[in-house]
Amino acid sequence: MKVFNSLTNRKEELHDNSTPVTMYTCGPTVYYYPHIGNMRAYLFMDFLRKTLHFLGYKTNSVMNLTDVGHLTSDEDEGEDKMELAASREKKTPEQIAEFYTNCFFEDFKVLNIEKPEHIVKATDHISQMIDFIKELEKKGFTYKIDDGIYFDVQKFSHYGALSNKDLSKVGVNRIDENSQKRHPFDFALWKFVPKEHIMKWDSPWGVGCPGWHIECSAMGTYYLGNKIDIHTGGVDHKTVHHENEIAQNDCMMGHQVVDKWMHVEFLQVDGGKMSKSLNNIYTINQLVEKGYSPLDFRYLNLLTHYRKSLNFTFEALNSAKSALKSLKNIVLEHKNSNNHINAQNLEIYKQEFSEAIADDLNMPLALGTLWKMVKDMERSVEVYQMAMEFDKVLSLNLGQEDEIPEEIVKLANQRLEARKNKDWALSDSLRDEIAKLGYQIKDGKDGYEINKIWFLIYY
Ligand code: AMP
Ligand code: ZN
């Protein structure tokens, strides 16, 4: 298996599959609904984990949930997202975290994203973070100023290696004159908070809360030890959050902790950034409300390599939807064929599929291989079985018939009859009845199409 390491800027061979791959993924801050861009990052994590499993690796992976709101901006400033959400929604920060964590994992469920082996909450690991900071302090990498304990980046000679930042070129004179920081890139490990702050903990330095970056270092090494094979996250985290994680980890352990960094490019909407003002921040639930299956979105994500930005448009989602439907139909033809062929004839496709995913997750190529196999090969149970093997990675529910219950078909036929008789009132009431039972009906030229309506309960 080869993966592109953002630290060295080249594809590198992963160790063989005789030992598990240790993996850390930066999780969400659970203060609001996750959007489809966030889900691109976690679909990427899922493709990676399932590819490793397909290639015979075991994984030991950790993902954190940031349920402490302080310092989530890169600059150690700004507002506390958790407490802001709590006051907006008149809930406690714990209730906010619980609700949005449920939303997050509901998205996982409907997108067929498998949860990593360890899901860990920041608030459950404050003592590990304090221990980590104490150790950095003992080793001389920290200093104290009025508002907290800071990491002294000039003490770490490799600082900036991931995003090619040269400390010497960013003079200390760039520091804001009110700041007591020694270098503009220094960051908070522990921040003192005012009395009225809800989320706060005791520490050897005073009451406060941990910095955001220390969370990932403390929990990653606590669960995975002082060597981590792969660390994943979105490209936005490369320049600050991950530089700071490297500094903390490597200064704490005295050696390079994370071997390979993998960064997923952003999802953009209509060629630009998602933003509130453009009203184009979509959630999975909103796609569902528009009549798409979450797996249409999963399919869309398979069409673009993770190191390229993905341009989300409804046009592209429509194509993904109809492609997935056709693919499923062909797979089902194989399933229902009762015909047998020599399974050996399919090894070439398996080889091609494995090579594609093992080459830094070339999912578009892997999907193309599946298409070629199901289209070119004689309809047979063996092709169906091989498609099911591939679906362990793709997770598109290819073998499941979207069976429509008889009751719904009956109502739909009654409605068709009503339309023929131009009884629009009856036709509309039957449509509503069908919708109440969880199905959406669309009229075509010579009949109708029924789709299951997905419901996401937490939204
Ligand atoms: P956050 O809660 O902001 O830390 O985001 C959770 C994850 O989603 C991080 O790994 C981000 O890098 C990633 N992310 C945020 N926005 C996008 C986007 N538009 N496309 C892809 N990944 C994103
Ligand atoms: Zn992180």
Side-chain angles (χ1 to χ4, degrees), residues 212-431:
W212 170 40
H213 318 295
I214 197 69
E215 208 186 296
C216 292
S217 285
M219 295 197 280
T221 53
Y222 181 71
Y223 286 96
L224 301 174
N226 63 13
K227 276 280 178 197
I228 298 173
D229 294 318
I230 300 177
H231 192 309
T232 74
V235 277
D236 56 328
H237 289 340
K238 202 169 146 181
T239 51
V240 178
H241 181 50
H242 291 163
E243 291 288 13
N244 295 350
E245 268 191 56
I246 292 175
Q248 294 165 154
N249 285 341
D250 296 8
C251 290
M252 164 79 167
M253 302 297 175
H255 62 252
Q256 187 182 330
V257 172
V258 172
D259 193 31
K260 299 177 190 354
W261 288 84
M262 293 178 76
H263 289 103
V264 51
E265 275 293 332
F266 259 36
L267 173 146
Q268 300 196 312
V269 174
D270 296 326
K273 210 178 144 149
M274 273 188 279
S275 77
K276 268 204 187 114
S277 59
L278 293 172
N279 201 19
N280 65 357
I281 305 180
Y282 299 109
T283 62
I284 295 298
N285 188 54
Q286 281 167 329
L287 302 188
V288 159
E289 280 174 353
K290 287 179 192 286
Y292 298 95
S293 145
L295 298 183
D296 298 335
F297 181 68
R298 187 173 172 106
Y299 188 96
L300 180 70
N301 277 262
L302 286 164
L303 300 172
T304 304
H305 191 266
Y306 78 90
R307 282 192 288 120
K308 291 203 178 113
S309 69
L310 188 161
N311 186 23
F312 177 88
T313 62
F314 280 100
E315 218 179 348
L317 188 61
N318 287 335
S319 311
K321 184 186 174 77
S322 69
L324 175 58
K325 194 164 187 180
S326 316
L327 180 61
K328 257 183 123 155
N329 284 339
I330 306 181
V331 170
L332 292 171
E333 283 173 21
H334 286 280
K335 182 181 183 182
N336 301 326
S337 70
N338 293 324
N339 179 36
H340 291 279
I341 59 161
N342 183 349
Q344 279 301 319
N345 298 343
L346 302 177
E347 280 308 306
I348 181 167
Y349 293 105
K350 187 172 184 182
Q351 182 73 21
E352 198 178 298
F353 183 87
S354 306
E355 278 171 15
I357 57 176
D359 179 16
D360 192 32
L361 305 182
N362 193 338
M363 308 319 275
L365 189 62
L367 188 61
T369 303
L370 169 63
W371 265 107
K372 237 183 347 189
M373 178 179 80
V374 298
K375 276 207 320 209
D376 295 354
M377 294 301 293
E378 191 184 328
R379 302 295 177 258
S380 64
V381 176
E382 286 71 21
V383 170
Y384 166 69
Q385 285 163 346
M386 188 59 82
M388 287 302 96
E389 280 297 301
F390 296 176
D391 203 38
K392 287 182 184 159
V393 179
L394 308 175
S395 299
L396 296 167
N397 293 356
L398 291 176
Q400 278 177 27
E401 298 187 45
D402 297 323
E403 230 173 273
I404 309 296
E406 233 171 83
E407 184 193 3
I408 304 291
V409 176
K410 226 168 160 182
L411 289 171
N413 285 334
Q414 281 172 22
R415 183 169 168 277
L416 193 65
E417 206 46 46
R419 287 176 64 79
K420 277 188 193 144
N421 300 331
K422 301 204 171 359
D423 186 347
W424 308 121
L426 179 60
S427 153
D428 285 351
S429 82
L430 284 165
R431 173 200 292 271

Side-chain angles (χ1 to χ4, degrees), residues 151-168:
F151 188 95
D152 191 345
V153 296
Q154 292 171 101
K155 296 247 168 82
F156 177 47
S157 60
H158 297 299
Y159 190 85
L162 185 62
S163 55
N164 294 319
K165 271 205 281 244
D166 187 345
L167 282 191
S168 63

